[in-house]
Amino acid sequence: MRKTIFLFFISALFTGCVSQANKPVPQPETTILSVPEITVLFAGDAMQHFPQINSARTADNGYDYKHCFQYIEPYFREADFVIANLETTLSDRNFSGYPRFVSPWQFARDMAYSGIDILVLANNHTCDNGAKGIRNTLFYLDSLQIAHTGIYLDSLQREKIFYIEKRPFKIALLNYTYGTNGIPIPKNTVVNLIDTALIAADINKARQEKATNIIAFLHWGEEYDIHGTAQQEELAEWLHDKGTDIVIGSHPHVIQKAEYTTKAGDTTGITAYSLGNFISNQSYRYTKGGITLSLKLTRKSDTQYGYRYKYMNNFVYTPIENGKKRYYIVPEPIGNAVITENSHSRTFRKFVQDNDAILQCPETKETEILFPDTLSYEPFPDRTFPI
Protein backbone atom coordinates (compact mmCIF):
# COMPACT_ATOMS: atom_id res chain seq x y z
CA MET A 1 0.00 0.00 0.00
CA ARG A 2 1.01 3.57 -0.54
CA LYS A 3 0.76 4.47 3.13
CA THR A 4 2.65 2.07 5.34
CA ILE A 5 4.10 1.66 8.80
CA PHE A 6 7.72 2.72 8.70
CA LEU A 7 10.31 0.53 10.38
CA PHE A 8 13.61 2.05 11.33
CA PHE A 9 16.49 -0.30 11.90
CA ILE A 10 19.39 0.85 14.08
CA SER A 11 22.32 -1.18 12.90
CA ALA A 12 25.28 -1.78 15.25
CA LEU A 13 28.52 -0.30 13.95
CA PHE A 14 31.63 -2.31 14.41
CA THR A 15 35.13 -2.34 13.03
CA GLY A 16 37.99 -4.75 13.26
CA CYS A 17 40.75 -6.63 11.47
CA VAL A 18 40.40 -9.76 9.39
CA SER A 19 40.52 -11.91 12.51
CA GLN A 20 37.26 -10.38 13.69
CA ALA A 21 35.39 -11.24 10.49
CA ASN A 22 33.89 -14.45 11.91
CA LYS A 23 32.43 -12.80 15.00
CA PRO A 24 28.63 -12.92 15.25
CA VAL A 25 27.01 -9.87 13.72
CA PRO A 26 24.89 -8.03 16.30
CA GLN A 27 21.17 -8.19 15.50
CA PRO A 28 19.60 -4.81 14.70
CA GLU A 29 17.15 -3.27 17.13
CA THR A 30 13.72 -2.52 15.74
CA THR A 31 11.79 0.63 16.53
CA ILE A 32 8.19 0.94 15.33
CA LEU A 33 6.83 4.44 15.25
CA SER A 34 3.64 4.81 17.26
CA VAL A 35 1.37 7.63 16.15
CA PRO A 36 -1.09 9.38 18.49
CA GLU A 37 -3.71 9.88 15.78
CA ILE A 38 -4.75 8.63 12.37
CA THR A 39 -6.87 10.15 9.60
CA VAL A 40 -9.15 8.01 7.46
CA LEU A 41 -11.02 9.49 4.48
CA PHE A 42 -14.21 7.94 3.18
CA ALA A 43 -15.59 8.51 -0.32
CA GLY A 44 -18.96 7.38 -1.66
CA ASP A 45 -20.16 5.37 -4.64
CA ALA A 46 -17.64 5.01 -7.48
CA MET A 47 -19.88 4.23 -10.45
CA GLN A 48 -19.36 3.74 -14.17
CA HIS A 49 -22.30 4.45 -16.42
CA PHE A 50 -21.66 3.84 -20.10
CA PRO A 51 -21.09 7.53 -21.00
CA GLN A 52 -18.23 7.55 -18.48
CA ILE A 53 -16.67 4.51 -20.13
CA ASN A 54 -16.89 6.20 -23.55
CA SER A 55 -15.37 9.35 -22.10
CA ALA A 56 -12.36 7.49 -20.73
CA ARG A 57 -11.55 5.67 -23.99
CA THR A 58 -8.22 6.73 -25.48
CA ALA A 59 -7.07 6.87 -29.11
CA ASP A 60 -5.39 3.47 -28.82
CA ASN A 61 -8.59 1.90 -27.40
CA GLY A 62 -7.27 1.94 -23.85
CA TYR A 63 -8.92 3.70 -20.93
CA ASP A 64 -7.61 6.55 -18.82
CA TYR A 65 -9.41 8.02 -15.80
CA LYS A 66 -6.58 9.95 -14.17
CA HIS A 67 -8.04 13.32 -15.13
CA CYS A 68 -11.25 12.48 -13.23
CA PHE A 69 -9.38 12.55 -9.93
CA GLN A 70 -6.84 15.32 -10.51
CA TYR A 71 -8.58 17.86 -8.27
CA ILE A 72 -9.42 15.49 -5.41
CA GLU A 73 -6.03 13.76 -5.37
CA PRO A 74 -4.24 16.30 -3.11
CA TYR A 75 -6.82 15.71 -0.38
CA PHE A 76 -6.31 11.98 -0.58
CA ARG A 77 -2.56 12.39 -0.26
CA GLU A 78 -3.04 14.16 3.08
CA ALA A 79 -4.81 11.18 4.68
CA ASP A 80 -3.33 8.04 6.18
CA PHE A 81 -5.90 5.85 4.45
CA VAL A 82 -8.64 6.47 1.87
CA ILE A 83 -11.62 4.12 1.44
CA ALA A 84 -14.27 4.15 -1.31
CA ASN A 85 -17.16 1.96 -2.48
CA LEU A 86 -16.50 0.34 -5.87
CA GLU A 87 -19.98 -0.03 -7.34
CA THR A 88 -19.15 -1.89 -10.52
CA THR A 89 -17.41 -5.06 -11.62
CA LEU A 90 -14.13 -4.97 -13.54
CA SER A 91 -13.11 -6.53 -16.83
CA ASP A 92 -11.02 -6.00 -19.97
CA ARG A 93 -13.91 -6.39 -22.45
CA ASN A 94 -17.69 -6.44 -22.95
CA PHE A 95 -18.30 -3.33 -20.89
CA SER A 96 -21.76 -2.19 -19.90
CA GLY A 97 -23.47 0.45 -17.80
CA TYR A 98 -26.77 0.41 -15.94
CA PRO A 99 -28.41 -1.89 -14.96
CA ARG A 100 -25.49 -4.37 -14.96
CA PHE A 101 -22.18 -2.64 -14.54
CA VAL A 102 -19.01 -4.00 -16.16
CA SER A 103 -16.18 -1.46 -16.31
CA PRO A 104 -12.58 -1.23 -17.54
CA TRP A 105 -10.08 -2.39 -14.96
CA GLN A 106 -8.21 0.88 -15.51
CA PHE A 107 -10.93 2.62 -13.47
CA ALA A 108 -9.62 0.92 -10.32
CA ARG A 109 -6.01 1.46 -11.38
CA ASP A 110 -6.50 5.21 -11.63
CA MET A 111 -8.45 5.43 -8.39
CA ALA A 112 -5.47 3.84 -6.69
CA TYR A 113 -3.16 6.21 -8.56
CA SER A 114 -5.12 9.13 -7.11
CA GLY A 115 -4.57 7.90 -3.57
CA ILE A 116 -7.43 5.52 -2.77
CA ASP A 117 -6.02 2.69 -0.67
CA ILE A 118 -8.97 0.40 0.02
CA LEU A 119 -12.13 -0.50 -1.91
CA VAL A 120 -15.22 -1.99 -0.29
CA LEU A 121 -16.99 -4.31 -2.70
CA ALA A 122 -20.21 -5.58 -1.09
CA ASN A 123 -23.04 -3.75 -2.84
CA ASN A 124 -26.11 -4.43 -4.93
CA HIS A 125 -24.09 -4.54 -8.19
CA THR A 126 -21.50 -7.05 -6.96
CA CYS A 127 -23.07 -9.93 -8.92
CA ASP A 128 -23.87 -7.96 -12.09
CA ASN A 129 -21.51 -10.09 -14.20
CA GLY A 130 -21.97 -13.36 -12.35
CA ALA A 131 -19.13 -15.48 -11.01
CA LYS A 132 -16.88 -14.25 -13.81
CA GLY A 133 -17.42 -10.66 -12.72
CA ILE A 134 -16.48 -11.43 -9.13
CA ARG A 135 -13.41 -13.42 -10.16
CA ASN A 136 -12.28 -10.74 -12.62
CA THR A 137 -12.79 -7.93 -10.12
CA LEU A 138 -10.74 -9.68 -7.45
CA PHE A 139 -8.08 -10.67 -9.99
CA TYR A 140 -7.56 -7.10 -11.18
CA LEU A 141 -7.57 -5.61 -7.68
CA ASP A 142 -5.05 -8.17 -6.48
CA SER A 143 -2.90 -7.67 -9.58
CA LEU A 144 -2.94 -3.92 -8.96
CA GLN A 145 -2.23 -4.49 -5.25
CA ILE A 146 -5.36 -2.61 -4.22
CA ALA A 147 -6.67 -3.71 -0.83
CA HIS A 148 -10.32 -4.75 -0.72
CA THR A 149 -12.97 -6.46 1.38
CA GLY A 150 -16.63 -7.47 1.24
CA ILE A 151 -16.54 -10.22 -1.43
CA TYR A 152 -14.40 -13.36 -1.57
CA LEU A 153 -13.63 -16.45 -3.61
CA ASP A 154 -14.17 -18.81 -0.69
CA SER A 155 -15.26 -18.96 2.93
CA LEU A 156 -11.69 -19.25 4.20
CA GLN A 157 -10.87 -15.82 2.80
CA ARG A 158 -14.09 -14.46 4.23
CA GLU A 159 -13.18 -15.63 7.75
CA LYS A 160 -10.20 -13.27 7.88
CA ILE A 161 -11.03 -9.85 9.28
CA PHE A 162 -9.63 -7.01 7.19
CA TYR A 163 -7.50 -4.65 9.28
CA ILE A 164 -6.13 -1.16 8.75
CA GLU A 165 -2.96 -1.06 10.78
CA LYS A 166 -0.72 1.76 11.83
CA ARG A 167 0.53 1.33 15.37
CA PRO A 168 -1.12 1.64 17.84
CA PHE A 169 -4.23 1.51 15.62
CA LYS A 170 -5.60 -1.83 14.49
CA ILE A 171 -8.90 -0.94 12.84
CA ALA A 172 -11.25 -3.66 11.65
CA LEU A 173 -13.07 -2.82 8.40
CA LEU A 174 -16.31 -4.76 7.93
CA ASN A 175 -18.43 -4.45 4.78
CA TYR A 176 -21.95 -5.71 4.02
CA THR A 177 -24.79 -5.14 1.53
CA TYR A 178 -28.56 -5.42 1.83
CA GLY A 179 -28.68 -7.55 -1.34
CA THR A 180 -27.54 -8.07 -4.93
CA ASN A 181 -30.55 -6.86 -6.96
CA GLY A 182 -32.14 -10.29 -6.84
CA ILE A 183 -29.19 -11.90 -8.65
CA PRO A 184 -28.17 -15.11 -6.83
CA ILE A 185 -24.69 -15.09 -5.34
CA PRO A 186 -22.68 -17.43 -7.61
CA LYS A 187 -21.40 -20.73 -6.29
CA ASN A 188 -17.86 -20.75 -4.95
CA THR A 189 -18.04 -17.02 -4.17
CA VAL A 190 -18.99 -15.16 -1.01
CA VAL A 191 -20.71 -11.78 -0.70
CA ASN A 192 -21.18 -10.29 2.75
CA LEU A 193 -24.89 -9.69 3.32
CA ILE A 194 -26.39 -7.66 6.14
CA ASP A 195 -27.16 -10.38 8.68
CA THR A 196 -27.00 -9.43 12.34
CA ALA A 197 -25.82 -12.88 13.42
CA LEU A 198 -22.97 -12.76 10.89
CA ILE A 199 -22.07 -9.18 11.78
CA ALA A 200 -22.13 -9.89 15.52
CA ALA A 201 -19.75 -12.82 15.00
CA ASP A 202 -17.38 -10.62 12.98
CA ILE A 203 -17.46 -7.89 15.63
CA ASN A 204 -16.73 -10.40 18.38
CA LYS A 205 -13.85 -11.87 16.40
CA ALA A 206 -12.37 -8.41 15.79
CA ARG A 207 -12.58 -7.63 19.49
CA GLN A 208 -10.94 -10.96 20.35
CA GLU A 209 -8.15 -10.11 17.90
CA LYS A 210 -7.68 -6.84 19.80
CA ALA A 211 -8.98 -4.41 17.24
CA THR A 212 -8.64 -0.89 18.59
CA ASN A 213 -11.58 0.32 16.49
CA ILE A 214 -14.25 -1.19 14.26
CA ILE A 215 -15.66 0.34 11.06
CA ALA A 216 -18.83 -1.06 9.48
CA PHE A 217 -19.27 0.10 5.86
CA LEU A 218 -22.87 -0.73 4.92
CA HIS A 219 -24.68 -0.67 1.59
CA TRP A 220 -28.21 0.07 2.78
CA GLY A 221 -31.20 2.40 2.73
CA GLU A 222 -33.41 3.62 -0.09
CA GLU A 223 -32.08 5.11 -3.32
CA TYR A 224 -32.48 8.90 -3.63
CA ASP A 225 -33.87 9.24 -0.09
CA ILE A 226 -32.13 12.15 1.66
CA HIS A 227 -33.82 11.45 5.00
CA GLY A 228 -32.81 7.86 5.67
CA THR A 229 -35.00 5.11 7.07
CA ALA A 230 -35.93 3.89 10.52
CA GLN A 231 -34.25 0.57 9.66
CA GLN A 232 -30.94 2.35 9.05
CA GLU A 233 -31.16 4.12 12.41
CA GLU A 234 -32.07 0.90 14.23
CA LEU A 235 -29.20 -1.02 12.64
CA ALA A 236 -26.74 1.80 13.34
CA GLU A 237 -27.78 1.83 17.00
CA TRP A 238 -27.41 -1.95 17.17
CA LEU A 239 -23.95 -1.78 15.59
CA HIS A 240 -22.74 0.79 18.09
CA ASP A 241 -24.19 -1.18 21.00
CA LYS A 242 -22.26 -4.23 19.78
CA GLY A 243 -18.97 -2.30 19.77
CA THR A 244 -18.73 -0.69 16.33
CA ASP A 245 -17.19 2.78 16.55
CA ILE A 246 -17.76 4.02 13.01
CA VAL A 247 -20.69 3.33 10.70
CA ILE A 248 -20.42 4.51 7.09
CA GLY A 249 -23.24 4.17 4.57
CA SER A 250 -23.57 3.95 0.80
CA HIS A 251 -26.22 3.09 -1.83
CA PRO A 252 -28.78 5.99 -1.77
CA HIS A 253 -26.65 8.00 -4.29
CA VAL A 254 -27.52 11.12 -2.28
CA ILE A 255 -26.10 12.20 1.04
CA GLN A 256 -27.84 11.65 4.33
CA LYS A 257 -27.16 12.97 7.82
CA ALA A 258 -24.00 12.37 9.80
CA GLU A 259 -23.85 12.43 13.57
CA TYR A 260 -21.79 11.62 16.63
CA THR A 261 -22.69 8.66 18.78
CA THR A 262 -22.62 9.45 22.48
CA LYS A 263 -23.10 7.43 25.62
CA ALA A 264 -23.18 8.82 29.17
CA GLY A 265 -21.90 12.14 27.87
CA ASP A 266 -18.92 10.60 26.09
CA THR A 267 -18.39 10.39 22.33
CA THR A 268 -18.12 6.75 21.36
CA GLY A 269 -18.14 7.01 17.56
CA ILE A 270 -19.86 8.41 14.47
CA THR A 271 -22.48 7.45 11.92
CA ALA A 272 -22.57 8.80 8.36
CA TYR A 273 -25.72 7.32 6.84
CA SER A 274 -24.83 7.96 3.18
CA LEU A 275 -21.88 9.65 1.49
CA GLY A 276 -23.68 10.01 -1.86
CA ASN A 277 -21.94 9.58 -5.20
CA PHE A 278 -18.19 9.83 -5.54
CA ILE A 279 -18.36 9.74 -9.34
CA SER A 280 -21.23 8.84 -11.67
CA ASN A 281 -23.23 10.03 -14.66
CA GLN A 282 -26.31 10.79 -12.57
CA SER A 283 -27.46 14.38 -12.98
CA TYR A 284 -30.68 15.04 -11.13
CA ARG A 285 -30.92 16.92 -7.85
CA TYR A 286 -28.72 15.66 -4.97
CA THR A 287 -26.91 13.07 -7.16
CA LYS A 288 -24.23 15.24 -8.82
CA GLY A 289 -21.66 14.21 -6.25
CA GLY A 290 -21.42 13.57 -2.54
CA ILE A 291 -19.19 14.22 0.42
CA THR A 292 -15.76 13.10 1.47
CA LEU A 293 -15.71 12.42 5.20
CA SER A 294 -12.46 12.98 7.07
CA LEU A 295 -12.32 11.04 10.33
CA LYS A 296 -9.57 11.73 12.83
CA LEU A 297 -9.05 9.08 15.49
CA THR A 298 -6.99 10.11 18.50
CA ARG A 299 -5.59 7.68 21.03
CA LYS A 300 -6.30 8.89 24.56
CA SER A 301 -5.25 5.75 26.41
CA ASP A 302 -4.90 2.02 25.82
CA THR A 303 -8.67 1.67 25.71
CA GLN A 304 -10.01 5.14 24.93
CA TYR A 305 -10.12 6.93 21.58
CA GLY A 306 -11.37 10.34 20.54
CA TYR A 307 -13.41 10.96 17.37
CA ARG A 308 -13.65 14.04 15.20
CA TYR A 309 -15.04 14.25 11.70
CA LYS A 310 -15.50 16.91 9.08
CA TYR A 311 -16.86 16.76 5.58
CA MET A 312 -16.20 18.32 2.20
CA ASN A 313 -18.66 18.53 -0.68
CA ASN A 314 -17.46 16.97 -3.94
CA PHE A 315 -19.18 17.90 -7.19
CA VAL A 316 -19.01 15.91 -10.43
CA TYR A 317 -18.25 18.54 -13.06
CA THR A 318 -19.12 17.43 -16.63
CA PRO A 319 -17.98 19.96 -19.25
CA ILE A 320 -17.75 19.19 -22.96
CA GLU A 321 -14.13 19.26 -24.08
CA ASN A 322 -13.12 18.62 -27.69
CA GLY A 323 -16.56 17.26 -28.38
CA LYS A 324 -16.41 14.75 -25.49
CA LYS A 325 -18.16 14.83 -22.13
CA ARG A 326 -15.63 14.78 -19.32
CA TYR A 327 -15.99 13.89 -15.64
CA TYR A 328 -14.06 15.73 -12.91
CA ILE A 329 -14.51 15.33 -9.16
CA VAL A 330 -14.19 18.91 -7.90
CA PRO A 331 -13.85 19.60 -4.15
CA GLU A 332 -15.94 22.51 -2.89
CA PRO A 333 -13.00 24.74 -1.81
CA ILE A 334 -11.81 25.10 -5.42
CA GLY A 335 -15.18 24.78 -7.11
CA ASN A 336 -15.56 28.44 -8.01
CA ALA A 337 -12.12 28.46 -9.60
CA VAL A 338 -12.56 25.28 -11.63
CA ILE A 339 -16.22 25.54 -12.62
CA THR A 340 -16.60 28.71 -14.69
CA GLU A 341 -19.53 28.04 -17.02
CA ASN A 342 -22.71 29.67 -15.70
CA SER A 343 -24.94 26.61 -15.98
CA HIS A 344 -22.47 24.28 -14.24
CA SER A 345 -21.64 26.94 -11.66
CA ARG A 346 -25.28 27.39 -10.69
CA THR A 347 -25.74 23.63 -10.37
CA PHE A 348 -22.60 23.40 -8.25
CA ARG A 349 -23.74 26.13 -5.85
CA LYS A 350 -27.18 24.57 -5.49
CA PHE A 351 -25.63 21.18 -4.85
CA VAL A 352 -23.49 22.60 -2.03
CA GLN A 353 -26.49 24.37 -0.48
CA ASP A 354 -28.55 21.18 -0.60
CA ASN A 355 -25.84 19.13 1.06
CA ASP A 356 -25.21 21.65 3.81
CA ALA A 357 -28.93 21.76 4.53
CA ILE A 358 -29.13 17.97 4.79
CA LEU A 359 -26.15 17.90 7.14
CA GLN A 360 -27.47 20.93 9.04
CA CYS A 361 -24.06 22.54 8.97
CA PRO A 362 -23.68 26.32 9.43
CA GLU A 363 -22.79 28.00 6.17
CA THR A 364 -19.13 28.78 5.67
CA LYS A 365 -17.58 31.34 3.42
CA GLU A 366 -16.63 30.01 0.01
CA THR A 367 -12.97 30.47 -0.77
CA GLU A 368 -11.37 30.67 -4.18
CA ILE A 369 -7.74 29.62 -4.37
CA LEU A 370 -5.84 30.64 -7.48
CA PHE A 371 -2.10 30.50 -7.94
CA PRO A 372 -0.07 32.10 -10.76
CA ASP A 373 0.65 28.97 -12.77
CA THR A 374 -1.44 26.22 -11.27
CA LEU A 375 -4.59 25.51 -9.37
CA SER A 376 -3.91 24.21 -5.89
CA TYR A 377 -6.17 23.21 -3.05
CA GLU A 378 -7.37 24.48 0.30
CA PRO A 379 -7.64 22.18 3.33
CA PHE A 380 -11.02 20.76 4.28
CA PRO A 381 -13.47 23.49 5.35
CA ASP A 382 -13.51 23.96 9.11
CA ARG A 383 -16.60 21.87 9.76
CA THR A 384 -15.59 19.87 12.79
CA PHE A 385 -18.90 19.40 14.52
CA PRO A 386 -19.17 20.34 18.21
CA ILE A 387 -20.14 17.63 20.64
Side-chain angles (χ1 to χ4, degrees), residues 178-222:
Y178 74 90
T180 56
N181 287 345
I183 303 172
I185 297 172
K187 291 182 180 180
N188 301 320
T189 66
V190 181
V191 178
N192 277 351
L193 297 177
I194 295 176
D195 177 314
T196 52
L198 176 71
I199 298 172
D202 288 344
I203 293 172
N204 288 335
K205 183 174 183 180
R207 296 177 74 175
Q208 290 171 5
E209 294 176 349
K210 308 214 181 290
T212 59
N213 308 91
I214 299 175
I215 299 171
F217 204 121
L218 300 180
H219 208 70
W220 63 356
E222 299 291 336

Side-chain angles (χ1 to χ4, degrees), residues 260-304:
Y260 284 109
T261 303
T262 59
K263 184 178 290 185
D266 187 27
T267 301
T268 59
I270 69 161
T271 303
Y273 287 89
S274 175
L275 302 180
N277 286 331
F278 178 51
I279 188 168
S280 80
N281 188 54
Q282 294 182 326
S283 59
Y284 30 92
R285 188 176 180 184
Y286 303 115
T287 66
K288 283 283 291 180
I291 59 171
T292 303
L293 192 80
S294 174
L295 171 67
K296 181 173 287 186
L297 288 169
T298 304
R299 181 176 183 269
K300 294 182 176 181
S301 69
D302 288 341
T303 58
Q304 289 187 320

Side-chain angles (χ1 to χ4, degrees), residues 90-110:
L90 301 176
S91 183
D92 63 347
R93 67 192 69 186
N94 300 326
F95 307 125
S96 63
Y98 180 83
R100 293 199 174 189
F101 294 111
V102 181
S103 305
W105 61 268
Q106 291 91 337
F107 181 51
R109 177 200 66 190
D110 293 344

Side-chain angles (χ1 to χ4, degrees), residues 231-267:
Q231 290 80 5
Q232 283 174 275
E233 293 189 349
E234 290 168 4
L235 182 54
E237 182 178 1
W238 180 86
L239 286 163
H240 287 298
D241 286 345
K242 289 294 182 181
T244 304
D245 312 83
I246 302 127
V247 178
I248 304 294
S250 61
H251 176 60
H253 303 304
V254 297
I255 71 160
Q256 295 174 346
K257 67 179 179 179
E259 60 190 11
Y260 284 109
T261 303
T262 59
K263 184 178 290 185
D266 187 27
T267 301

Side-chain angles (χ1 to χ4, degrees), residues 301-322:
S301 69
D302 288 341
T303 58
Q304 289 187 320
Y305 292 82
Y307 304 82
R308 280 291 185 275
Y309 76 88
K310 51 188 177 179
Y311 76 90
M312 179 175 65
N313 293 303
N314 301 315
F315 180 76
V316 181
Y317 173 44
T318 55
I320 303 298
E321 297 176 353
N322 298 321

